[in-house]
Amino acid sequence: MFSLTVRDHFMIAHSFNGEIFGPAQHTHGATYVVDVSFMRAELDDDDLVIDIGLASDALKRTLGELNMRNLDDVDEFKGRNTTTEFLAKAVFDRLRAAIQGGDLGDSARSLAAMRVTLAESHIAWASYEGDV
């Protein structure tokens, strides 16, 4: 399996519900480094996994929807704990929709899978991986 990974970052504020979260129940901030790996069994006709420029632009647009926002105020996240794991899936879903919509080029429709990893620190990260 071939893969190509692009990286960006975003900053958010949020709070969590539940005693398990301790002091993180209060509003706090986080800065995530985001790696997205696009995967396919065979390279396209240009010997690429995906156009790196289109992939980078799509990631930047996707993160731009969340960057510098308090996620507690985002309607689609109401009632959810916007954990690192949850956000990895949210980014994945947005990027998969962009791929299916043709935003990453026709060749991207032949991708097999994608992995989104959010690092909340140098010692903790979470990923979501699935078929595209």
Side-chain angles (χ1 to χ4, degrees), residues 14-28 72 79-83:
H14 60 175
S15 61
F16 296 134
N17 296 309
E19 291 297 320
I20 192 170
F21 295 105
Q25 293 176 85
H26 303 288
T27 302
H28 62 280
D72 297 342
R80 299 301 306 262
N81 284 316
T82 52
T83 61

Side-chain angles (χ1 to χ4, degrees), residues 81-94:
N81 284 316
T82 52
T83 61
T84 305
E85 300 91 332
F86 177 89
L87 290 174
K89 175 73 163 58
V91 171
F92 177 96
D93 289 343
R94 284 171 165 77

